Amino acid sequence: MDELAYQPATRLAGLIRRRELSPVELVTACLDRIERRNPTVNAFVTVCAEEALDAARRAEREVLTGAPLPPLHGLPIGVKDLDPVAGIRTTQASYAFENEVPKASGVSAERLLRAGAIVVGKTNTPEFGHKAITDNFLFGPTSTPFDLTANAGGSSGGSAAAVAEGLVPFAQGSDAGGSLRVPGSLCGVFALMGTFGRVPTVVRPNAFGLLNPMVCYGPLARTVADGVLMFEVLAGPHARDPYSLPEAPERLTDALRRPLTGMRVAYSPDLGGFPVEPDVAAVVRESLGALIDDGAEVVEVDVKLPRPHQEFTALWRRLQAVRQVEFITRMRRAGVDVLAHRERMAPTYLELLEMGARPSAVDYRLEDVLRTELLDSLEDVFDEYDLIVSPVTSVARIANGPDRTTVGPSEVAGQRVNPLVGWCLTGLYNFIGSPAATVPAGYTPAGLPVGLQVAARRFDEPQVVAACAAMERRRPWQEGYQRLELRREREG
């Protein structure tokens, strides 16, 4: 039943409510498509077919009672394999947790399940989410459906590829430096990272452990409305997350139809100096017409970063490294020796661990001085403009490596960049806690998707959503999925 594959989640939810579509029928269609299509993209690494069908049958019975239904009732989703779902294997893409089955779900999964969503499986990610590419020794690379020889990006690459390939209507991911937005761009889907704390994260034993870098959970979806539907389920305060925010004063659904008249948009082609390939830059620049057509004033600006972009990439790696060493140490104290699997761990991850063991406590605290300088420089722009828009990534294609250790480019447009994350123009917003999204902007001459990054001052998610929705109205991208489907049919 491939006719359901690219239907928006919002439409599917309406069909279920009107009893025109059974949750069992929908979940069965998704599982069938996963069985046929997943081997080509490697988006799902664990599929829980029996559990999903059982949940679909329960959902169908609830529909027939006529009782009020939660917002995601009967909708299939994928959940990133870093995030626990009770009773479903969660490996974190590591041999150390190859057979780990958590007894409790994380807050994101809890809220999705409570809203009626049905988890059909876990999606691929790099080992412990340590890079912006999805590849690992345990499961191998995930490909973007637009080029099966190219990577989906990371670290929520499995979720992005699953959505773009039409395996599920939408999927959950997380973002510590671009992990929603990078695969969203490379797979041609919408991704939204809220203000830090908008979506709670309950972490134990260290409730304060995700501050550096700032980790956010959010949706990957084929339409802006679908992403907003999931985001509003995920968002909201939680007493056990010390960084969680109160309820937002405005529903994001109210921003979906808001015209951009009077909005001032700062366009930065390089976000302060990042190298960008000409094909990517051209697609992003051309897409700005959609914002202008909807009433926005778009002005090209020179974002003045306080340091060269390489220093912010290095800062992200140092902070990530310390957090990973903390994780390994905590696991060892709990009786799990992750490094016993060293021979089957990514060399790039082991390098991070070596880096993370070096800084002193004072060195680590002083890292926030550079973050403060960055905050001030970006707030200078937000003082004059409602949004900053830019490319999401420097490149549109990352070739899958042959040995399950895929990384990005070491050089872009003549500049050296770090191959793990240095080609991503995303981590700056994690450092300062601002909301940011990727919205499909168009395609390169080779047919690869390119995303436009849309960012706002903290708490201004409605501005981000309004701009992304305007892009979708003025330059709809659904034809890209239709072309993808026709190509798959021709390929057999």
Side-chain angles (χ1 to χ4, degrees), residues 346-429:
T348 48
Y349 184 73
L350 296 174
E351 289 170 10
L352 271 184
L353 295 182
E354 291 179 10
M355 180 188 300
R358 292 196 290 266
S360 69
V362 173
D363 291 335
Y364 184 70
R365 292 299 301 148
L366 287 174
E367 301 284 27
D368 285 344
V369 173
L370 182 51
R371 288 177 65 184
T372 303
E373 293 175 7
L374 173 65
L375 173 66
D376 288 341
S377 67
L378 291 176
E379 286 297 325
D380 286 345
V381 182
F382 287 131
D383 283 343
E384 296 187 43
Y385 297 93
D386 300 298
L387 298 174
I388 302 173
V389 300
S390 70
V392 177
T393 61
S394 299
V395 299
R397 185 178 188 276
I398 304 292
N400 284 325
D403 54 1
R404 300 194 171 199
T405 57
T406 306
V407 294
S410 298
E411 183 176 301
V412 177
Q415 286 192 44
R416 298 289 295 175
V417 296
N418 177 269
L420 294 190
V421 294
W423 44 277
C424 306
L425 289 71
T426 48
L428 302 184
Y429 297 114

Side-chain angles (χ1 to χ4, degrees), residues 22 57 76 101 124 143 145 183-185 202 220 227 230 319 368 398 400 408-409 412 433:
S22 157
R57 294 184 191 103
V101 178
N124 204 13
S143 298
S185 181
V202 176
L220 293 126
M230 181 186 285
L319 294 177
D368 285 344
I398 304 292
N400 284 325
V412 177

Side-chain angles (χ1 to χ4, degrees), residues 264-284:
R264 302 195 74 223
V265 177
Y267 159 58
S268 176
D270 60 6
L271 203 55
F274 285 85
V276 178
E277 285 191 341
D279 281 355
V280 173
V283 172
V284 168

Side-chain angles (χ1 to χ4, degrees), residues 30-47 122-124 141-143 148 158 161-162 165 167 488:
C30 285
L31 291 171
D32 175 68
R33 191 172 172 93
I34 289 169
E35 184 177 1
R36 290 183 289 112
R37 298 290 188 90
N38 191 59
T40 62
V41 293
N42 195 31
F44 280 95
V45 295
T46 297
V47 178
K122 303 303 293 297
T123 58
N124 204 13
T142 294
S143 298
L148 297 178
E165 185 69 359
L167 305 183
R488 287 284 188 275

